[in-house]
Amino acid sequence: MGYDFSVGRPQTLNSFTRQVLWKLLKVVKFGEMVSYQQLAALAGNPKAARAVGGAMRSNPVPILIPCHRVIRSDGAIGNYSGGGQTVKEWLLAHEGIPTGQPASKGLGLIGSWLKPSFESSSPKPSG
């Protein structure tokens, strides 16, 4: 007797959804969070924050492709298709991410927010 562990076929997802999920998986690491708007920009369409929400709902494996790390720009955690807000809060807390922290405008967010790739993490030379 065999078991079927299939979780969905990525080719059934539209190209934007695949791109969003891939960026989320590759760029947003354990202990970081990103806003829907930031993730839209990372996926190449900064005005597609609502479409990113649709991509999160289409995520075939929400625990493996970490859509719990995507929150609203105002700091609210938003929805989670992998088990609701309580599960999302628990997953964020497990990663050491406090929920309900205020957010900054644009991509220059601080704390455990994802920082834009054009920012340097090394200190500037003095002098």
Side-chain angles (χ1 to χ4, degrees), residues 77-100:
I77 66 166
N79 295 320
Y80 180 58
S81 63
Q85 286 189 336
T86 303
V87 173
K88 187 171 185 173
E89 288 173 352
W90 185 90
L91 288 167
L92 292 171
H94 174 71
E95 293 188 25
I97 301 172
T99 57

Side-chain angles (χ1 to χ4, degrees), residues 5 11 14-15 30 37 47 59 66-67 75 85 97 107 112 119 125-127:
F5 291 105
Q11 63 268 26
N14 69 49
S15 64
F30 186 92
Q37 184 177 8
K47 295 184 180 187
N59 183 351
C67 59
Q85 286 189 336
I97 301 172
L107 295 177
S112 56
E119 281 186 4
S126 60

Side-chain angles (χ1 to χ4, degrees), residues 98-111:
T99 57
Q101 70 183 36
S104 300
K105 296 275 186 196
L107 295 177
L109 301 170
I110 57 171

Side-chain angles (χ1 to χ4, degrees), residues 45-68:
N45 190 346
K47 295 184 180 187
R50 290 177 62 96
V52 167
M56 297 301 99
R57 283 189 301 277
S58 300
N59 183 351
V61 281
I63 195 66
L64 298 177
I65 301 174
C67 59
H68 63 277

